[in-house]
Amino acid sequence: MDTDTRTPVTVIGLGAMGAALAGGFLKAGHPTTVWNRSAQKADALVARGATRAATVAEAVSASPLVVVCVLDYAAAGAVLTPVERAMSSRVLVNLTTGTPREARRLAAWAAECGAAYLDGAIMAVPRMIGGPEALLLYCGSADAFAAREGELASLGASRYLGADPGLASLYDLALLSAMYGMLGGFLHAVALAGTEQVAATELTSLVVPWLDAMAADLPHLAGRIEAGDFATDGSTLDLNRAGVDLIARYSREQGVDAGQLAPLRALLDRRVAEGHGADGFASLIEALRRR
Ligand SMILES: NC(=O)c1ccc[n+]([C@@H]2O[C@H](COP(=O)([O-])OP(=O)(O)OC[C@H]3O[C@@H](n4cnc5c(N)ncnc54)[C@H](OP(=O)(O)O)[C@@H]3O)[C@@H](O)[C@H]2O)c1
């Protein structure tokens, strides 16, 4: 591929994810400059054609587009703060995981430096980067996103959420919460089925279509939550509470830890005790909002 016509990019942070991001840019033919605190992590990328920067300032100066992906915002601050002057007129894309507040603070710092800022969240694991299954969420400067969308497409599919630099982190944390709920439930299901010698893979062949069907119903649930419509349209909180109880009881009988269900059971108990046992599942949102 002709790398001369492609925008130079810089990637700062070459952990598992940063190295994958740099690899995505290299694969797409971008002249790619890399920097990592532990310099040897750049070796494999340099062997593939990347340029190793000796300092962060050198890395930032090398490209109009600077992507940062380090452990957390404290690390991002430690790396970037000393190179404030070099940052002027760059597009800084921060793909480090953090909170909306941290993202807004870094955006304010970038504005003081004269840099355009995009905050991002990576909904993928490193091996997906560069492929169509990787989704990256962006927010911040709309102009910067429009100008750099082409380069960012080297990493995966992009979705721009809006000008507020906290949006990508907000979506990231919410989406991860949904994922952890699913993964925790899945592990409990596997442990429970395993007590009767049902193999994990065998169970999973039914878990996947079941969760697909339930996921397809989420827009309906979301609509009810938005409308504040908590009337039951199928199963009441009373019925769900009995169902959760049954799973917990059988788990205990089988010697499987039922703790994964405890937070949901506590929400159901509270809402039912307040007289909402005949409501639908959407009603539980009220118990969460009060915390
Ligand atoms: N891995 C994933 O599946 C995944 C998925 C989505 C999002 N993310 C996010 O991507 C970010 C990076 O994750 P990762 O998987 O690449 O983590 P990682 O493999 O643990 O790498 C951490 C990176 O941060 C650097 N770092 C840590 N503290 C630093 C400091 N004080 N100063 C300078 N550099 C510092 C490390 O440098 P050294 O090499 O010198 O230690 C390394 O480059 C995280 O925010 C993570 O949540 C990861």
PDB file of all heavy atoms in Angstrom, residues 13-18 35-38 41 69-72 75 78-79 95-97 122 124-126, ligand 1:
ATOM      1  N   GLY A  13       0.925   4.879  23.925  1.00  0.00           N
ATOM      2  CA  GLY A  13       0.415   3.788  24.758  1.00  0.00           C
ATOM      3  C   GLY A  13       0.323   2.540  23.914  1.00  0.00           C
ATOM      4  O   GLY A  13      -0.477   2.462  22.983  1.00  0.00           O
ATOM      5  N   LEU A  14       1.184   1.569  24.224  1.00  0.00           N
ATOM      6  CA  LEU A  14       1.248   0.346  23.405  1.00  0.00           C
ATOM      7  C   LEU A  14       1.036  -0.888  24.270  1.00  0.00           C
ATOM      8  O   LEU A  14       1.750  -1.884  24.157  1.00  0.00           O
ATOM      9  CB  LEU A  14       2.592   0.266  22.676  1.00  0.00           C
ATOM     10  CG  LEU A  14       2.911   1.454  21.752  1.00  0.00           C
ATOM     11  CD1 LEU A  14       4.336   1.330  21.207  1.00  0.00           C
ATOM     12  CD2 LEU A  14       1.906   1.557  20.612  1.00  0.00           C
ATOM     13  N   GLY A  15       0.032  -0.814  25.146  1.00  0.00           N
ATOM     14  CA  GLY A  15      -0.406  -2.019  25.847  1.00  0.00           C
ATOM     15  C   GLY A  15      -1.137  -2.889  24.837  1.00  0.00           C
ATOM     16  O   GLY A  15      -1.029  -2.692  23.616  1.00  0.00           O
ATOM     17  N   ALA A  16      -1.919  -3.838  25.343  1.00  0.00           N
ATOM     18  CA  ALA A  16      -2.628  -4.750  24.432  1.00  0.00           C
ATOM     19  C   ALA A  16      -3.497  -3.972  23.447  1.00  0.00           C
ATOM     20  O   ALA A  16      -3.503  -4.263  22.234  1.00  0.00           O
ATOM     21  CB  ALA A  16      -3.493  -5.700  25.255  1.00  0.00           C
ATOM     22  N   MET A  17      -4.200  -2.950  23.929  1.00  0.00           N
ATOM     23  CA  MET A  17      -5.105  -2.220  23.042  1.00  0.00           C
ATOM     24  C   MET A  17      -4.354  -1.206  22.176  1.00  0.00           C
ATOM     25  O   MET A  17      -4.601  -1.109  20.968  1.00  0.00           O
ATOM     26  CB  MET A  17      -6.202  -1.527  23.859  1.00  0.00           C
ATOM     27  CG  MET A  17      -7.250  -0.847  23.024  1.00  0.00           C
ATOM     28  SD  MET A  17      -7.972  -1.947  21.754  1.00  0.00           S
ATOM     29  CE  MET A  17      -9.299  -2.718  22.659  1.00  0.00           C
ATOM     30  N   GLY A  18      -3.460  -0.438  22.775  1.00  0.00           N
ATOM     31  CA  GLY A  18      -2.720   0.572  21.993  1.00  0.00           C
ATOM     32  C   GLY A  18      -1.946  -0.079  20.855  1.00  0.00           C
ATOM     33  O   GLY A  18      -1.906   0.457  19.735  1.00  0.00           O
ATOM     34  N   TRP A  35       4.804   5.606  20.652  1.00  0.00           N
ATOM     35  CA  TRP A  35       5.573   5.829  21.890  1.00  0.00           C
ATOM     36  C   TRP A  35       4.925   5.040  23.007  1.00  0.00           C
ATOM     37  O   TRP A  35       3.699   4.969  23.097  1.00  0.00           O
ATOM     38  CB  TRP A  35       5.594   7.311  22.285  1.00  0.00           C
ATOM     39  CG  TRP A  35       6.413   7.547  23.534  1.00  0.00           C
ATOM     40  CD1 TRP A  35       7.745   7.809  23.610  1.00  0.00           C
ATOM     41  CD2 TRP A  35       5.937   7.516  24.892  1.00  0.00           C
ATOM     42  NE1 TRP A  35       8.140   7.929  24.924  1.00  0.00           N
ATOM     43  CE2 TRP A  35       7.039   7.748  25.734  1.00  0.00           C
ATOM     44  CE3 TRP A  35       4.683   7.278  25.475  1.00  0.00           C
ATOM     45  CZ2 TRP A  35       6.941   7.780  27.128  1.00  0.00           C
ATOM     46  CZ3 TRP A  35       4.575   7.300  26.872  1.00  0.00           C
ATOM     47  CH2 TRP A  35       5.696   7.563  27.678  1.00  0.00           C
ATOM     48  N   ASN A  36       5.748   4.438  23.840  1.00  0.00           N
ATOM     49  CA  ASN A  36       5.248   3.771  25.038  1.00  0.00           C
ATOM     50  C   ASN A  36       6.252   3.985  26.154  1.00  0.00           C
ATOM     51  O   ASN A  36       7.461   4.076  25.914  1.00  0.00           O
ATOM     52  CB  ASN A  36       5.075   2.262  24.780  1.00  0.00           C
ATOM     53  CG  ASN A  36       4.273   1.587  25.880  1.00  0.00           C
ATOM     54  OD1 ASN A  36       3.102   1.915  26.087  1.00  0.00           O
ATOM     55  ND2 ASN A  36       4.894   0.671  26.615  1.00  0.00           N
ATOM     56  N   ARG A  37       5.720   4.072  27.389  1.00  0.00           N
ATOM     57  CA  ARG A  37       6.601   4.289  28.551  1.00  0.00           C
ATOM     58  C   ARG A  37       7.690   3.211  28.598  1.00  0.00           C
ATOM     59  O   ARG A  37       8.857   3.515  28.770  1.00  0.00           O
ATOM     60  CB  ARG A  37       5.756   4.262  29.836  1.00  0.00           C
ATOM     61  CG  ARG A  37       6.543   4.465  31.091  1.00  0.00           C
ATOM     62  CD  ARG A  37       5.636   4.439  32.306  1.00  0.00           C
ATOM     63  NE  ARG A  37       4.946   3.152  32.460  1.00  0.00           N
ATOM     64  CZ  ARG A  37       4.174   2.831  33.479  1.00  0.00           C
ATOM     65  NH1 ARG A  37       3.962   3.714  34.441  1.00  0.00           N
ATOM     66  NH2 ARG A  37       3.586   1.643  33.550  1.00  0.00           N
ATOM     67  N   SER A  38       7.309   1.963  28.401  1.00  0.00           N
ATOM     68  CA  SER A  38       8.297   0.883  28.313  1.00  0.00           C
ATOM     69  C   SER A  38       8.591   0.698  26.821  1.00  0.00           C
ATOM     70  O   SER A  38       7.787   0.103  26.091  1.00  0.00           O
ATOM     71  CB  SER A  38       7.747  -0.422  28.898  1.00  0.00           C
ATOM     72  OG  SER A  38       7.149  -0.169  30.147  1.00  0.00           O
ATOM     73  N   LYS A  41       8.033  -2.256  24.065  1.00  0.00           N
ATOM     74  CA  LYS A  41       6.722  -2.684  23.545  1.00  0.00           C
ATOM     75  C   LYS A  41       6.485  -2.175  22.130  1.00  0.00           C
ATOM     76  O   LYS A  41       5.538  -2.596  21.465  1.00  0.00           O
ATOM     77  CB  LYS A  41       5.603  -2.235  24.480  1.00  0.00           C
ATOM     78  CG  LYS A  41       5.527  -3.060  25.747  1.00  0.00           C
ATOM     79  CD  LYS A  41       4.216  -2.898  26.465  1.00  0.00           C
ATOM     80  CE  LYS A  41       4.254  -3.639  27.789  1.00  0.00           C
ATOM     81  NZ  LYS A  41       3.212  -3.182  28.712  1.00  0.00           N
ATOM     82  N   CYS A  69      -3.948   5.825  24.206  1.00  0.00           N
ATOM     83  CA  CYS A  69      -4.672   4.702  24.824  1.00  0.00           C
ATOM     84  C   CYS A  69      -3.776   4.104  25.905  1.00  0.00           C
ATOM     85  O   CYS A  69      -2.957   3.226  25.624  1.00  0.00           O
ATOM     86  CB  CYS A  69      -5.050   3.666  23.767  1.00  0.00           C
ATOM     87  SG  CYS A  69      -6.086   2.341  24.440  1.00  0.00           S
ATOM     88  N   VAL A  70      -3.916   4.621  27.103  1.00  0.00           N
ATOM     89  CA  VAL A  70      -3.152   4.104  28.245  1.00  0.00           C
ATOM     90  C   VAL A  70      -4.125   3.582  29.293  1.00  0.00           C
ATOM     91  O   VAL A  70      -5.339   3.587  29.083  1.00  0.00           O
ATOM     92  CB  VAL A  70      -2.190   5.172  28.822  1.00  0.00           C
ATOM     93  CG1 VAL A  70      -1.023   5.411  27.873  1.00  0.00           C
ATOM     94  CG2 VAL A  70      -2.924   6.465  29.127  1.00  0.00           C
ATOM     95  N   LEU A  71      -3.572   3.162  30.418  1.00  0.00           N
ATOM     96  CA  LEU A  71      -4.379   2.448  31.411  1.00  0.00           C
ATOM     97  C   LEU A  71      -5.595   3.246  31.889  1.00  0.00           C
ATOM     98  O   LEU A  71      -6.723   2.749  31.888  1.00  0.00           O
ATOM     99  CB  LEU A  71      -3.483   2.093  32.606  1.00  0.00           C
ATOM    100  CG  LEU A  71      -4.099   1.210  33.670  1.00  0.00           C
ATOM    101  CD1 LEU A  71      -4.467  -0.152  33.102  1.00  0.00           C
ATOM    102  CD2 LEU A  71      -3.152   1.072  34.846  1.00  0.00           C
ATOM    103  N   ASP A  72      -5.361   4.492  32.310  1.00  0.00           N
ATOM    104  CA  ASP A  72      -6.451   5.305  32.855  1.00  0.00           C
ATOM    105  C   ASP A  72      -6.127   6.784  32.641  1.00  0.00           C
ATOM    106  O   ASP A  72      -5.067   7.128  32.099  1.00  0.00           O
ATOM    107  CB  ASP A  72      -6.686   4.979  34.340  1.00  0.00           C
ATOM    108  CG  ASP A  72      -5.420   5.099  35.175  1.00  0.00           C
ATOM    109  OD1 ASP A  72      -4.483   5.824  34.758  1.00  0.00           O
ATOM    110  OD2 ASP A  72      -5.332   4.473  36.237  1.00  0.00           O
ATOM    111  N   ALA A  75      -2.875   8.164  34.066  1.00  0.00           N
ATOM    112  CA  ALA A  75      -1.718   7.876  33.194  1.00  0.00           C
ATOM    113  C   ALA A  75      -1.729   8.810  31.980  1.00  0.00           C
ATOM    114  O   ALA A  75      -0.674   9.328  31.581  1.00  0.00           O
ATOM    115  CB  ALA A  75      -1.750   6.419  32.750  1.00  0.00           C
ATOM    116  N   ALA A  78      -0.457  12.101  33.069  1.00  0.00           N
ATOM    117  CA  ALA A  78       0.987  12.063  33.337  1.00  0.00           C
ATOM    118  C   ALA A  78       1.785  12.125  32.035  1.00  0.00           C
ATOM    119  O   ALA A  78       2.835  12.768  31.957  1.00  0.00           O
ATOM    120  CB  ALA A  78       1.337  10.788  34.104  1.00  0.00           C
ATOM    121  N   VAL A  79       1.259  11.482  30.995  1.00  0.00           N
ATOM    122  CA  VAL A  79       1.964  11.448  29.705  1.00  0.00           C
ATOM    123  C   VAL A  79       1.816  12.776  28.957  1.00  0.00           C
ATOM    124  O   VAL A  79       2.780  13.293  28.383  1.00  0.00           O
ATOM    125  CB  VAL A  79       1.426  10.276  28.836  1.00  0.00           C
ATOM    126  CG1 VAL A  79       1.945  10.365  27.413  1.00  0.00           C
ATOM    127  CG2 VAL A  79       1.805   8.945  29.456  1.00  0.00           C
ATOM    128  N   LEU A  95      -8.571   7.414  23.749  1.00  0.00           N
ATOM    129  CA  LEU A  95      -9.363   6.176  23.781  1.00  0.00           C
ATOM    130  C   LEU A  95      -9.183   5.418  25.097  1.00  0.00           C
ATOM    131  O   LEU A  95      -9.521   4.244  25.198  1.00  0.00           O
ATOM    132  CB  LEU A  95      -8.987   5.283  22.601  1.00  0.00           C
ATOM    133  CG  LEU A  95      -9.283   5.880  21.218  1.00  0.00           C
ATOM    134  CD1 LEU A  95      -8.811   4.943  20.107  1.00  0.00           C
ATOM    135  CD2 LEU A  95     -10.777   6.168  21.066  1.00  0.00           C
ATOM    136  N   THR A  96      -8.637   6.120  26.092  1.00  0.00           N
ATOM    137  CA  THR A  96      -8.471   5.539  27.423  1.00  0.00           C
ATOM    138  C   THR A  96      -9.832   5.450  28.117  1.00  0.00           C
ATOM    139  O   THR A  96     -10.636   6.364  28.003  1.00  0.00           O
ATOM    140  CB  THR A  96      -7.522   6.453  28.237  1.00  0.00           C
ATOM    141  OG1 THR A  96      -6.298   6.588  27.525  1.00  0.00           O
ATOM    142  CG2 THR A  96      -7.278   5.926  29.628  1.00  0.00           C
ATOM    143  N   THR A  97     -10.068   4.361  28.832  1.00  0.00           N
ATOM    144  CA  THR A  97     -11.350   4.202  29.543  1.00  0.00           C
ATOM    145  C   THR A  97     -11.388   5.065  30.809  1.00  0.00           C
ATOM    146  O   THR A  97     -10.410   5.105  31.560  1.00  0.00           O
ATOM    147  CB  THR A  97     -11.536   2.726  29.953  1.00  0.00           C
ATOM    148  OG1 THR A  97     -11.452   1.916  28.786  1.00  0.00           O
ATOM    149  CG2 THR A  97     -12.887   2.505  30.615  1.00  0.00           C
ATOM    150  N   ILE A 122     -13.823   2.178  23.218  1.00  0.00           N
ATOM    151  CA  ILE A 122     -13.614   1.048  22.304  1.00  0.00           C
ATOM    152  C   ILE A 122     -14.499  -0.117  22.735  1.00  0.00           C
ATOM    153  O   ILE A 122     -14.276  -0.718  23.780  1.00  0.00           O
ATOM    154  CB  ILE A 122     -12.138   0.602  22.334  1.00  0.00           C
ATOM    155  CG1 ILE A 122     -11.216   1.783  22.022  1.00  0.00           C
ATOM    156  CG2 ILE A 122     -11.903  -0.539  21.362  1.00  0.00           C
ATOM    157  CD1 ILE A 122      -9.748   1.491  22.315  1.00  0.00           C
ATOM    158  N   ALA A 124     -14.724  -3.238  21.914  1.00  0.00           N
ATOM    159  CA  ALA A 124     -14.057  -4.349  21.225  1.00  0.00           C
ATOM    160  C   ALA A 124     -12.898  -4.817  22.079  1.00  0.00           C
ATOM    161  O   ALA A 124     -12.471  -4.110  22.998  1.00  0.00           O
ATOM    162  CB  ALA A 124     -13.530  -3.894  19.860  1.00  0.00           C
ATOM    163  N   VAL A 125     -12.385  -5.994  21.761  1.00  0.00           N
ATOM    164  CA  VAL A 125     -11.131  -6.456  22.353  1.00  0.00           C
ATOM    165  C   VAL A 125     -10.056  -6.292  21.275  1.00  0.00           C
ATOM    166  O   VAL A 125     -10.377  -6.122  20.093  1.00  0.00           O
ATOM    167  CB  VAL A 125     -11.241  -7.918  22.849  1.00  0.00           C
ATOM    168  CG1 VAL A 125     -12.224  -8.009  24.013  1.00  0.00           C
ATOM    169  CG2 VAL A 125     -11.640  -8.860  21.724  1.00  0.00           C
ATOM    170  N   PRO A 126      -8.775  -6.300  21.699  1.00  0.00           N
ATOM    171  CA  PRO A 126      -7.715  -5.955  20.748  1.00  0.00           C
ATOM    172  C   PRO A 126      -7.749  -6.721  19.416  1.00  0.00           C
ATOM    173  O   PRO A 126      -7.522  -6.134  18.360  1.00  0.00           O
ATOM    174  CB  PRO A 126      -6.435  -6.252  21.535  1.00  0.00           C
ATOM    175  CG  PRO A 126      -6.818  -5.995  22.967  1.00  0.00           C
ATOM    176  CD  PRO A 126      -8.237  -6.465  23.084  1.00  0.00           C
TER     177      PRO A 126
HETATM  178  N1  LIG B   1      -7.783  -4.672  26.383  1.00  0.00           N
HETATM  179  C1  LIG B   1      -9.070  -4.530  26.088  1.00  0.00           C
HETATM  180  O1  LIG B   1      -9.775  -5.500  25.765  1.00  0.00           O
HETATM  181  C2  LIG B   1      -9.718  -3.159  26.111  1.00  0.00           C
HETATM  182  C3  LIG B   1     -10.999  -3.001  25.556  1.00  0.00           C
HETATM  183  C4  LIG B   1     -11.582  -1.739  25.552  1.00  0.00           C
HETATM  184  C5  LIG B   1     -10.921  -0.678  26.132  1.00  0.00           C
HETATM  185  N2  LIG B   1      -9.676  -0.860  26.692  1.00  0.00           N
HETATM  186  C6  LIG B   1      -9.022   0.286  27.339  1.00  0.00           C
HETATM  187  O2  LIG B   1      -7.802   0.614  26.685  1.00  0.00           O
HETATM  188  C7  LIG B   1      -6.908   1.168  27.659  1.00  0.00           C
HETATM  189  C8  LIG B   1      -5.598   0.411  27.566  1.00  0.00           C
HETATM  190  O3  LIG B   1      -5.869  -0.966  27.842  1.00  0.00           O
HETATM  191  P1  LIG B   1      -4.802  -2.097  27.521  1.00  0.00           P
HETATM  192  O4  LIG B   1      -5.565  -3.361  27.379  1.00  0.00           O
HETATM  193  O5  LIG B   1      -3.889  -1.659  26.433  1.00  0.00           O
HETATM  194  O6  LIG B   1      -4.021  -2.122  28.925  1.00  0.00           O
HETATM  195  P2  LIG B   1      -2.542  -2.670  29.187  1.00  0.00           P
HETATM  196  O7  LIG B   1      -2.194  -3.752  28.243  1.00  0.00           O
HETATM  197  O8  LIG B   1      -2.487  -2.947  30.655  1.00  0.00           O
HETATM  198  O9  LIG B   1      -1.617  -1.424  28.855  1.00  0.00           O
HETATM  199  C9  LIG B   1      -1.602  -0.298  29.677  1.00  0.00           C
HETATM  200  C10 LIG B   1      -0.852   0.799  28.965  1.00  0.00           C
HETATM  201  O10 LIG B   1      -0.883   1.980  29.792  1.00  0.00           O
HETATM  202  C11 LIG B   1       0.469   2.403  29.992  1.00  0.00           C
HETATM  203  N3  LIG B   1       0.595   3.073  31.299  1.00  0.00           N
HETATM  204  C12 LIG B   1       0.063   2.666  32.472  1.00  0.00           C
HETATM  205  N4  LIG B   1       0.371   3.557  33.436  1.00  0.00           N
HETATM  206  C13 LIG B   1       1.110   4.527  32.850  1.00  0.00           C
HETATM  207  C14 LIG B   1       1.704   5.730  33.314  1.00  0.00           C
HETATM  208  N5  LIG B   1       1.601   6.107  34.592  1.00  0.00           N
HETATM  209  N6  LIG B   1       2.395   6.487  32.430  1.00  0.00           N
HETATM  210  C15 LIG B   1       2.489   6.104  31.125  1.00  0.00           C
HETATM  211  N7  LIG B   1       1.942   4.981  30.613  1.00  0.00           N
HETATM  212  C16 LIG B   1       1.252   4.207  31.477  1.00  0.00           C
HETATM  213  C17 LIG B   1       1.286   1.130  29.917  1.00  0.00           C
HETATM  214  O11 LIG B   1       2.636   1.447  29.707  1.00  0.00           O
HETATM  215  P3  LIG B   1       3.779   0.358  30.075  1.00  0.00           P
HETATM  216  O12 LIG B   1       3.788  -0.612  28.936  1.00  0.00           O
HETATM  217  O13 LIG B   1       5.008   1.166  30.198  1.00  0.00           O
HETATM  218  O14 LIG B   1       3.361  -0.283  31.392  1.00  0.00           O
HETATM  219  C18 LIG B   1       0.615   0.480  28.709  1.00  0.00           C
HETATM  220  O15 LIG B   1       1.011   1.095  27.505  1.00  0.00           O
HETATM  221  C19 LIG B   1      -7.581   1.038  29.038  1.00  0.00           C
HETATM  222  O16 LIG B   1      -8.153   2.264  29.426  1.00  0.00           O
HETATM  223  C20 LIG B   1      -8.636  -0.013  28.778  1.00  0.00           C
HETATM  224  O17 LIG B   1      -9.750   0.086  29.671  1.00  0.00           O
HETATM  225  C21 LIG B   1      -9.061  -2.062  26.672  1.00  0.00           C
END
